[in-house]
Amino acid sequence: MAGPRPGFLAEVKDAVTPRAFLLVLGVLLLQLGFTASYVGALHDPTPHQLSIAVVGPAQAVLQGTSALHDVPDEAVRPSTAEDRASAVQLIKDQKVYAAWLIDPTTSRDTLLVATARGPAAATAAERIVGSLESAQQRTLGTEDVVPLAPGDAEGLSSFYLVVGWCVGGYLVASILGISAGSRPANTDRALLRLGTLLLYSVAAGLGGALTTGPVLDALPGPILPLWGLGTLVVFAVGAFTMAMQCLFGVVGIGIAVLIFVVLGNPSAGGVYPPPLLPPFWRAIGSWIPNGVGTDAARSIVYLGGSVLTPPFLVLAAWAVAGVAITLLTADRTTETRTPAAL
């Protein structure tokens, strides 16, 4: 005959272990962090050190740069360019976001922008320079020297492509860890798991490049460089996620989500480029795969591959760190080998 059934409180105590409670609490904190990070980064885009070059006669350039310096809250970082061609090259080399061409012989000046570097930055530059022109009873025309592709109307395709690569990287690493144990059984198993990740990264990189290029006609850039970028993004994110699982078990997945989703996406410059983000997100964006991947994708697609070395070095550093930690923390004490475990 069965004994008396335990009371509800006893059932709760037996079912809700301290570990389960801490994991649920961690999820709650991640959720709150997600909300705070996205809203904090994107709710109030305000220009800060938005780079604008001034072109024209010496006196006009002096007055223009002085006016830009006087814009409140250090919204603009003015510089100069010798002529229109130099200004266009500065924009394509990612040295400035816009160029103000002043012509004192007429009442109309021109602002060169590059919506391919982010429509929000072009709009902010146009608003700032336009207000200065209006104060002098002058008019301003805008010319887009690096326009977006027709299939990339809001300039977000590069960002979403990189986000997809990042999601694939930490998901496949998480699945490998959940299915075969957070820490590889030995160094050979660690190498096998990393090899699996590499093969996945190659396939995911090519798939993303083809999907956004020939399939959807969203990005007009060359396939091969985008494929290489995608492979490195996926592998870097996946290897680092794998490393976090080796160090912290299932909690490592939460750490990966914190870095690549909670912090990485809003700081990546997808919706708003770095000069329009708050200081914290502006500072971290160039050190997280989401941000450097987005910058590199836009450069490959629209800017002739300019300034690719820094993003690739950052991605390589994440990949090397992930591989090194995974190999160093592999469980060398386990001799039993099971064919199903990676």
Side-chain angles (χ1 to χ4, degrees):
M1 183 175 180
R5 184 176 180 179
F8 178 74
L9 292 179
E11 289 282 8
V12 170
K13 184 177 179 180
D14 183 61
V16 182
T17 64
R19 182 174 183 272
F21 173 79
L22 290 175
L23 288 174
V24 171
L25 179 61
V27 171
L28 175 61
L29 293 176
L30 274 179
Q31 174 194 318
L32 296 176
F34 180 95
T35 303
S37 185
Y38 277 71
V39 176
L42 306 177
H43 79 289
D44 184 24
T46 303
H48 177 79
Q49 297 284 301
L50 181 67
S51 52
I52 300 177
V54 183
V55 181
Q59 186 61 32
V61 169
L62 181 62
Q63 293 174 349
T65 53
S66 177
L68 291 175
H69 269 300
D70 291 339
V71 175
D73 302 321
E74 298 184 340
V76 180
R77 176 166 56 83
S79 61
T80 63
E82 293 183 2
D83 51 31
R84 175 193 170 89
S86 299
V88 171
Q89 194 60 48
L90 286 174
I91 292 173
K92 292 182 177 180
D93 289 342
Q94 304 184 57
K95 301 292 181 59
V96 299
Y97 278 92
W100 183 11
L101 277 55
I102 303 176
D103 183 3
T105 63
T106 71
S107 62
R108 181 180 176 84
D109 297 322
T110 303
L111 182 70
L112 306 181
V113 298
T115 52
R117 292 198 66 195
T123 300
E126 186 176 4
R127 184 174 63 250
I128 291 170
V129 177
S131 66
L132 297 177
E133 292 275 6
S134 297
Q136 297 296 320
Q137 286 77 52
R138 297 175 63 82
T139 58
L140 182 71
T142 303
E143 181 179 342
D144 192 352
V145 296
V146 190
L148 291 164
D152 189 20
E154 297 300 322
L156 293 174
S157 298
S158 298
F159 168 64
Y160 286 125
L161 171 61
V162 173
V163 168
W165 281 332
C166 290
V167 169
Y170 67 72
L171 280 183
V172 73
S174 300
I175 290 171
L176 288 173
I178 292 172
S179 63
S182 296
R183 180 180 298 179
N186 49 52
T187 303
D188 289 343
R189 294 299 173 86
L191 289 171
L192 180 58
R193 196 176 293 190
L194 288 167
T196 302
L197 173 62
L198 179 59
L199 292 175
Y200 174 88
S201 301
V202 171
L206 178 60
L210 291 176
T211 299
T212 56
V215 175
L216 297 178
D217 198 25
L219 295 177
I223 297 300
L224 190 59
L226 278 178
W227 181 9
L229 173 64
T231 299
L232 184 53
V233 169
V234 176
F235 186 79
V237 171
F240 194 82
T241 302
M242 197 174 291
M244 292 300 97
Q245 291 182 92
C246 289
L247 289 174
F248 305 108
V250 70
V251 175
I253 299 175
I255 294 174
V257 171
L258 172 64
I259 295 173
F260 302 122
V261 178
V262 175
L263 298 177
N265 285 347
S267 65
V271 179
Y272 299 120
L276 273 69
L277 293 174
F280 173 75
W281 289 268
R282 186 168 61 244
I284 67 174
S286 59
W287 299 102
I288 300 179
N290 313 53
V292 295
T294 299
D295 287 344
R298 284 175 172 164
S299 178
I300 290 170
V301 171
Y302 292 114
L303 301 167
S306 64
V307 198
L308 282 180
T309 300
F312 273 83
L313 287 177
V314 171
L315 290 170
W318 283 86
V320 169
V323 169
I325 294 172
T326 299
L327 293 177
L328 290 172
T329 56
D331 189 351
R332 293 178 171 81
T333 65
T334 302
E335 297 296 334
T336 303
R337 302 191 176 193
T338 55
L342 291 178

